[in-house]
Amino acid sequence: MNRSLALLPALSLIGCVSTVTTVATAPFRVAGKAVDVATTSPAERDRNYAHKMRKEHEREERDRKALAKRCRQHPEETDCGAARGD
């Protein structure tokens, strides 16, 4: 019985050590996460650039098609000469 009573305080300290470890390492985890968020890897940069270029190309294609459609419907418009290649 005395032995189990002697182990009781030691067992209760296990939780405290775990909490102290968590609290002590938390600032380093936060700092590491901040660095990850603030920096962009080359792979991310390449992926973002490709995404931007694809979106820009899609927008230009939509604009070109819209101009061609508008020129078919209203060929007298002034910007239709450029669309036809005049």
Side-chain angles (χ1 to χ4, degrees):
M1 175 106 173
N2 286 339
R3 186 178 283 178
S4 63
L5 288 176
L7 289 176
L8 188 61
L11 289 175
S12 66
L13 286 178
I14 291 174
C16 292
V17 170
S18 173
T19 303
V20 168
T21 303
T22 302
V23 170
T25 59
F28 297 102
R29 286 192 210 142
V30 170
K33 184 65 84 173
V35 169
D36 285 345
V37 169
T39 58
T40 304
S41 71
E44 275 182 305
R45 198 172 20 256
D46 291 345
R47 187 175 57 242
N48 291 342
Y49 178 77
H51 179 75
K52 178 182 170 186
M53 290 294 106
R54 187 175 62 249
K55 290 294 183 184
E56 186 176 319
H57 178 72
E58 290 171 356
R59 182 184 49 78
E60 289 170 355
E61 188 67 19
R62 274 194 314 270
D63 291 347
R64 187 189 61 76
K65 286 181 179 181
L67 178 62
K69 181 178 179 181
R70 193 171 66 234
C71 286
R72 279 193 309 272
Q73 294 172 351
H74 306 284
E76 68 281 352
E77 288 187 15
T78 57
D79 58 345
C80 290
R84 285 192 309 261
D86 294 343

